[in-house]
Amino acid sequence: MSENVQMKTDYDADLEQLGRLTRRELKELEEKEKTSIQKVMEVVLMILPLVCGVIAILEYMLLPDQSRNKNPMYYVYVLVIFMFIYFCCGLMAAYNKWKGNKVFYEKVRFAAPLCSALFLLLALYDYLTLKTGTLTQPFVPCMNFIINAFVADYSMLIECTIHTLRLLMIGYCIGVSLGLVTGITCGYSKKVRYWVDPVIKFLGPIPTSTWIPVIMVVSTSLFAGAVFIIALGSWFAVTVASLTGISNVDQEFFEAARTLGANKRQLVFRVAIPHAMPSILQGCTQAMSSSCVALMIAEMLGVKAGLGWYMTWQTGWASYDKVFAALFVICLIFTLVTKVLERIKRYVLRWQNGVEK
């Protein structure tokens, strides 16, 4: 009898210890021991970006140039900086793995093939532009020309970047705020939806770029008109997403909340909005995409500052290296903004971490 009691106690203790394990620890327990070949391939995979970086440098240094190349070492410096950053990340990842924390190591290993492909892509691009002239310069400048454009005109690029971010954030925030109010109100109230739904269906199919000629005539300033165009696209995306999310809330949730004594305000903020939050955040992401498109169109056609205006201005002077430099800045900005939105979405919807596949 005492042995059975002891076995039951040990079994309960094992269950309690298993319950304390995190998902990462459980995954590590389920992983099989890697073979020697797999371990060697993993080391090769981690070193591969550095090898590809060396290949890109050798291609640039050894092959002869087919056109004049000003400040040729700038491109090499950039490649070396990227390789050094990856090398430091690899050392930190290996140290964390040795300490028992594999999270950062897994991230670096996941990014290693992409980094390798990036270095090889840069080498191929340099070969097609500077080394062989397959892609005609100066219409398609090599990477060293683009880097020289950054160095020569960095102050102007910074100023235009600040203006672009200001215009984007103002229009996006206004559009998202109005879209949340409109979408939540229409999704919860059928009376409001009756009057607003025709307006949404009328304005929704119209591309935001169509409004530019009208705004340039009606608006008192080009900046205000650009804000309106960006806000309009954001408003529509967030309104539709919020309306759909609120409309899909199960009526049983509202009935259960009413049974517990919830008032209308609590039904909206404690039941409807939390349940519709995944749809709302998805609409915010789509709104950022439409805002970026509207921003570039507005800056290229009307606004007298910003990265879009800078690209149009430099195209008129046939400075395509500076056009490509501004294009890289635009891609970087939009990538960072999207990453920030993804982080916010993951934090707000952190209760979904165990549900997502």
Side-chain angles (χ1 to χ4, degrees), residues 65-67 125-137 140:
D65 299 338
Q66 297 298 320
S67 60
Y125 182 79
D126 183 76
Y127 177 79
L128 294 175
T129 53
L130 183 62
K131 304 303 179 181
T132 62
T134 304
L135 300 177
T136 307
Q137 297 196 77
V140 184

Side-chain angles (χ1 to χ4, degrees), residues 147-167:
I147 296 172
N148 278 313
F150 274 111
V151 176
D153 215 15
Y154 71 92
S155 59
M156 190 67 175
L157 285 171
I158 293 175
E159 182 180 350
C160 291
T161 300
I162 294 173
H163 191 280
T164 296
L165 287 174
R166 183 172 63 125
L167 182 59

Side-chain angles (χ1 to χ4, degrees), residues 253-264:
F253 295 155
F254 292 111
E255 294 175 0
R258 291 191 186 98
T259 303
L260 296 174
N263 54 33
K264 289 186 177 181

Side-chain angles (χ1 to χ4, degrees), residues 92-107:
M92 188 180 301
Y95 177 77
N96 289 339
K97 182 183 179 183
W98 179 65
K99 286 291 186 179
N101 185 7
K102 295 184 179 180
V103 177
F104 186 67
Y105 177 82
E106 294 292 338
K107 292 181 179 179

Side-chain angles (χ1 to χ4, degrees), residues 223-339:
F223 183 85
V227 169
F228 173 79
I229 294 172
I230 296 170
L232 181 62
S234 303
W235 169 82
F236 175 73
V238 176
T239 297
V240 173
S242 304
L243 192 154
T244 303
I246 298 295
S247 300
N248 291 335
V249 178
D250 197 338
Q251 291 297 324
E252 294 180 357
F253 295 155
F254 292 111
E255 294 175 0
R258 291 191 186 98
T259 303
L260 296 174
N263 54 33
K264 289 186 177 181
R265 183 177 180 275
Q266 291 174 332
L267 289 176
V268 174
F269 290 97
R270 297 294 181 88
V271 179
I273 294 179
H275 188 276
M277 192 57 67
S279 180
I280 292 174
L281 293 177
Q282 184 63 31
C284 292
T285 304
Q286 294 176 355
M288 177 54 67
S289 178
S290 62
S291 297
C292 294
V293 175
L295 172 68
M296 290 296 102
I297 295 174
E299 287 189 340
M300 287 181 178
L301 297 182
V303 179
K304 297 301 181 182
L307 292 171
W309 166 84
Y310 179 85
M311 292 177 64
T312 304
W313 177 44
Q314 295 298 340
T315 302
W317 290 96
S319 299
Y320 296 103
D321 51 348
K322 296 183 179 180
V323 173
F324 274 73
L327 183 61
F328 274 102
V329 176
I330 292 171
C331 294
L332 179 61
I333 290 174
F334 293 166
T335 301
L336 293 178
V337 171
T338 304
K339 288 292 184 182

